């Protein structure tokens, strides 16, 4: 799937395709790829990266948008843990995981989209938001994870009380 960011092999293939499409070495002989084929290759890899960006678009928008969707995803993952559907408590690694996600996925993706010019001047805005959100998360992320847990636990208590009343 185009948005499967957990597949390291797929990530390597994407990186290699990007590098091949956008390397500064252009074909010089008739035996090499035609200009049309090169343009088609670039268009295809850019579309693939646009699909990836759409999956994580909240990370390249204003802080309150990022925070809203980060909390919702945390609640989904934490809920799965609390219900026994996953073995690992995401709260233990959420803070550091987000920093790595920005450093190794979101910001490099934003830089690629900026370098190919697909969004024009808006590319700068997306990269700036991603960088600012990373810095804001670095400062506030630990407290936010604690807040998410408290909110989840409070909501779980209210859900249980509602069930008891039935």
């Amino acid at each position: 799937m185009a948005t499967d960011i957990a597949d390291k092999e797929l990530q390597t293939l994407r990186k290699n395709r990007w590098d091949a499409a956008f390397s500064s070495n252009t074909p010089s002989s008739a035996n090499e790829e035609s200009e049309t084929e090169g343009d088609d290759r670039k268009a295809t890899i850019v579309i693939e990266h646009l699909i990836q960006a759409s999956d994580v678009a909240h990370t390249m928008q204003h802080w309150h948008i990022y925070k809203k969707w980060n909390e919702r995803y945390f609640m989904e993952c934490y809920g799965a843990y609390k219900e026994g559907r996953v073995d690992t408590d995401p709260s233990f690694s959420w803070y550091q995981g987000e920093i790595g996600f920005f450093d190794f996925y979101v910001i490099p993706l934003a830089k690629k989209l900026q370098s190919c010019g697909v969004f024009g001047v808006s590319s700068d805005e997306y990269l700036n938001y991603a960088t600012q959100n990373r810095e804001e998360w670095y400062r506030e992320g630990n407290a936010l994870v604690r807040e998410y847990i408290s909110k989840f636990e409070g909501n779980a208590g209210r859900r249980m009380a509602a069930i008891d009343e039935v």
Side-chain angles (χ1 to χ4, degrees):
M1 186 166 152
T3 60
D4 189 357
I5 61 176
D7 187 330
K8 293 197 184 304
E9 184 178 334
L10 187 56
Q11 288 297 337
T12 300
L13 290 171
R14 282 190 192 117
K15 181 189 179 318
N16 292 341
R17 285 196 303 271
W18 180 277
D19 291 344
F22 289 98
S23 71
S24 59
N25 301 331
T26 55
S28 57
S29 73
N31 294 335
E32 294 186 43
E33 184 176 79
S34 74
E35 187 174 330
T36 301
E37 289 170 328
D39 289 346
D40 289 348
R41 179 183 313 280
K42 285 180 181 177
T44 300
I45 195 67
V46 166
I47 290 169
E48 190 172 294
H49 280 70
L50 287 172
I51 293 168
Q52 289 178 294
S54 71
D55 198 37
V56 297
H58 66 287
T59 63
M60 297 182 227
Q61 296 179 44
H62 193 273
W63 170 249
H64 72 276
I65 300 293
Y66 164 71
K67 196 168 74 166
K68 170 185 170 180
W69 289 103
N70 181 268
E71 179 180 349
R72 288 181 178 187
Y73 185 50
F74 176 86
M75 294 297 191
E76 180 182 333
C77 294
Y78 194 68
Y81 166 72
K82 291 300 240 178
E83 292 170 6
R85 292 183 285 127
V86 294
D87 295 330
T88 306
D89 181 345
S91 68
F92 293 145
S93 60
W94 200 265
Y95 171 78
Q96 197 61 42
E98 284 298 294
I99 291 172
F101 185 53
F102 275 109
D103 289 348
F104 299 108
Y105 187 78
V106 174
I107 292 171
L109 177 60
K111 286 179 179 179
K112 284 180 178 179
L113 294 172
Q114 181 187 43
S115 74
C116 73
V118 69
F119 290 121
V121 294
S122 294
S123 295
D124 293 337
E125 183 178 341
Y126 301 139
L127 178 57
N128 287 337
Y129 275 134
T131 303
Q132 290 168 7
N133 286 342
R134 191 257 188 229
E135 294 307 314
E136 194 79 20
W137 181 260
Y138 180 79
R139 286 190 303 276
E140 295 187 28
N142 275 320
L144 285 171
V145 171
R146 289 191 300 275
E147 181 182 310
Y148 296 167
I149 293 168
S150 293
K151 188 183 284 188
F152 182 93
E153 298 299 339
N155 288 339
R158 284 191 290 281
R159 283 192 302 272
M160 292 306 293
I163 291 170
D164 289 342
E165 289 176 5
V166 174

